């Protein structure tokens, strides 16, 4: 009899955690596992890439309720959910005014939990794919013989409050961190759970990425450098650093075009683009289900993150043998060797610019990095064996 596994994730929009889950699901043995996926938000760009063997649960009743117009919500006369909606909205505003002592996901769950019904099914294994709402939901609303929580971001830097999450992580048999560095950070926040933490790296499959990178794309043909950054439009990714770096490059007379692939709230970066006058050389392409042809087209891949869980996009650029310049975010040395597979620079626009110019003008260094990337180990599909060990196989 196949073992039943439930994965719970916020959505399958574009992001590293989402790509990592897809990679894992693409490698699972479906003769042994009956896999179900629960998402809080449907319609993400990566949904079309799900293996056909994965059963997708319908949208949760409360998230469907919240997607309705305010008028429909009120006319439903569902007092439990109306009350949760109002209280959550008021608390999120209050939390923001107080400087966000709780992470938004924690503030959300504090008053929305009562509006969610438990899932009726019972599973052999339930996996919360990511901190925040998936972790809270699986802990309280899912029945399973074993429960595992994935941690794929720097818990402290992301602003999560340990005291709030303490009782939720108590419900888990194991807590999986996607790098040793993240595990150390998590263990510091939750010393009482350190015996439950394990490390399983985000899985990336070089064959899939190399194949997808062959898709033809059309970018303006211009002289100068082609720079590419891939990532959601969120503060964590450091686009304020990227925009200022583009302005400094332009001031120094460097010919370039910088492409950003990623979806999200574009308003802050659009303001920076206007302020710095870089619209002619800094282009937002929006979210792409397949960002790899853009990575492959780059002369230099640039990562300006402020913190990460692992940073799959940086690993993917290395798989495509594109020399990289990256900021020295918290877990960068889990994959980067400064001067060999890329350049690691200080977390400032000036340092990013110096790194880009250094790679662009020092052909010996550029070719050394490219040569190192060609011979370095690609991907880590063997991490699936650690996942099977976790399941007790």
């Amino acid at each position: 009899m196949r073992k039943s596994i439930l994965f719970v994730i916020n959505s399958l929009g574009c992001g590293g955690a989402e790509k990592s889950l897809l990679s894992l699901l693409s490698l699972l043995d479906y003769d042994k596992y009956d896999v179900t996926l629960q998402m809080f938000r449907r319609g993400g760009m990566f949904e079309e890439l799900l293996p056909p063997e994965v059963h997708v649960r319908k949208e949760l009743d409360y998230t469907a309720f919240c997607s309705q117009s305010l008028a429909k919500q009120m006319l439903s006369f569902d007092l439990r959910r109306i009350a949760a909606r109002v209280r959550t909205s008021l608390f999120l505003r209050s939390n923001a005014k107080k400087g966000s002592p709780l992470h938004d996901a924690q503030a959300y769950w504090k008053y929305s939990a009562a509006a969610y019904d438990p899932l009726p099914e019972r599973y052999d294994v339930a996996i919360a794919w990511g901190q925040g709402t998936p972790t809270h939901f699986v802990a309280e609303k899912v029945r399973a013989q074993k429960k595992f929580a994935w941690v794929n971001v720097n818990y402290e830097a992301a602003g999560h409050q340990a005291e709030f999450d303490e009782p939720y992580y108590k419900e888990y048999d194991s807590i999986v961190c996607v790098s040793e560095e993240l595990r150390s950070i998590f263990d510091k926040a939750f010393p009482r759970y350190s015996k439950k933490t394990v490390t399983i790296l985000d899985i990336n499959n070089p064959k899939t990425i190399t194949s997808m990178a062959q898709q033809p794309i059309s970018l303006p043909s211009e002289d100068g450098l082609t720079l590419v950054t891939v990532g959601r439009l969120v503060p964590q990714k450091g686009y304020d650093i990227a925009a200022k770096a583009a302005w400094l490059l332009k001031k120094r007379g460097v010919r370039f075009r910088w492409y950003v692939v990623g979806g999200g709230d574009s308003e802050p970066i659009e303001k920076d683009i206007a302020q710095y006058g870089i619209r002619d050389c800094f282009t937002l392409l929006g979210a792409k289900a397949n960002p790899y042809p853009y990575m492959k087209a780059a002369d230099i891949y640039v990562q300006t993150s402020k913190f990460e869980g692992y940073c799959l996009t940086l690993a993917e650029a290395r798989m495509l043998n594109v020399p990289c310049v990256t900021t020295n975010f918290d877990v960068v040395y889990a994959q980067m060797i400064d001067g060999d597979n890329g350049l690691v620079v200080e977390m400032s626009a000036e340092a990013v610019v110096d790194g880009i110019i250094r790679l662009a003008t020092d052909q010996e260094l550029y070719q050394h990095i490219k040569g190192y990337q060609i011979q370095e180990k690609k991907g880590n599909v063997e991490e699936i064996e650690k996942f099977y060990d976790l399941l007790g196989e």
Side-chain angles (χ1 to χ4, degrees), residues 129-304:
W129 199 267
Q131 50 290 312
T133 307
T135 293
H136 303 145
F137 182 84
V138 170
E140 282 197 339
K141 307 294 182 178
V142 176
R143 294 181 301 153
Q145 187 174 342
K146 287 187 176 181
K147 295 183 179 183
F148 306 129
W150 246 251
V151 177
N152 43 38
V153 74
N154 181 323
Y155 186 87
E156 290 182 346
H160 293 274
Q161 187 192 88
E163 184 180 355
F164 182 92
D165 283 340
E166 184 98 24
Y168 297 98
Y169 282 114
K170 183 181 179 181
E171 300 300 314
Y172 287 89
D173 297 277
S174 292
I175 300 161
V176 180
C177 302
V178 300
S179 72
E180 286 294 342
E181 290 81 2
L182 280 197
R183 185 179 177 183
S184 296
I185 292 166
F186 188 88
D187 286 349
K188 182 181 176 183
F190 297 96
R192 67 178 292 191
Y193 298 143
S194 60
K195 291 183 179 179
K196 295 204 292 188
T197 59
V198 297
T199 300
I200 300 178
L201 302 180
D202 278 333
I203 294 176
N204 42 70
N205 190 331
K207 289 183 180 178
T208 302
I209 291 166
T210 303
S211 174
M212 292 177 69
Q214 305 309 312
Q215 178 183 317
I217 57 170
S218 178
L219 290 177
S221 179
E222 298 180 8
D223 293 335
L225 288 173
T226 297
L227 308 176
V228 172
T229 298
V230 177
R232 292 171 295 122
L233 302 182
V234 292
Q236 168 192 344
K237 300 299 180 182
Y239 286 113
D240 54 333
I241 296 173
K244 185 177 179 182
W247 173 65
L248 292 171
L249 282 171
K250 187 176 178 181
K251 277 185 67 177
R252 292 172 68 165
V254 178
R255 291 178 58 83
F256 71 98
R257 173 78 70 163
W258 195 327
Y259 297 99
V260 173
V261 181
D265 181 9
S266 63
E267 186 176 349
I269 185 62
E270 287 284 7
K271 287 181 179 177
D272 286 339
I273 290 171
Q275 175 187 338
Y276 289 121
I278 54 173
R279 198 168 298 281
D280 60 326
C281 56
F282 194 91
T283 304
L284 304 181
L285 297 177
K288 305 288 181 183
N290 180 10
Y292 306 121
Y294 299 91
M295 285 184 174
K296 185 183 175 187
D299 297 307
I300 298 171
Y301 179 81
V302 185
Q303 192 76 40
T304 55

Side-chain angles (χ1 to χ4, degrees), residues 75-138:
L75 289 173
S76 72
F77 298 105
D78 188 333
L79 298 183
R80 175 172 64 117
R81 292 190 171 118
I82 291 171
R85 189 87 168 95
V86 172
R87 292 177 72 193
T88 300
S89 179
L90 291 173
F91 186 76
L92 282 168
R93 291 194 184 101
S94 170
N95 190 57
K97 288 180 180 178
K98 293 176 182 176
S100 299
L102 286 180
H103 187 278
D104 279 354
Q106 296 174 322
Y108 171 81
W109 192 253
K110 184 177 176 71
Y111 287 109
S112 293
Y116 282 99
D117 296 319
L119 297 189
E121 303 88 352
R122 184 177 180 87
Y123 297 90
D124 294 317
V125 176
I127 297 174
W129 199 267
Q131 50 290 312
T133 307
T135 293
H136 303 145
F137 182 84
V138 170

Side-chain angles (χ1 to χ4, degrees), residues 23 28 35 50 60 88 136 141 169 174 208 291 320 366:
S23 294
L28 281 182
V35 177
L50 278 170
L60 294 166
T88 300
H136 303 145
K141 307 294 182 178
Y169 282 114
S174 292
T208 302
L320 295 172
Y366 187 90

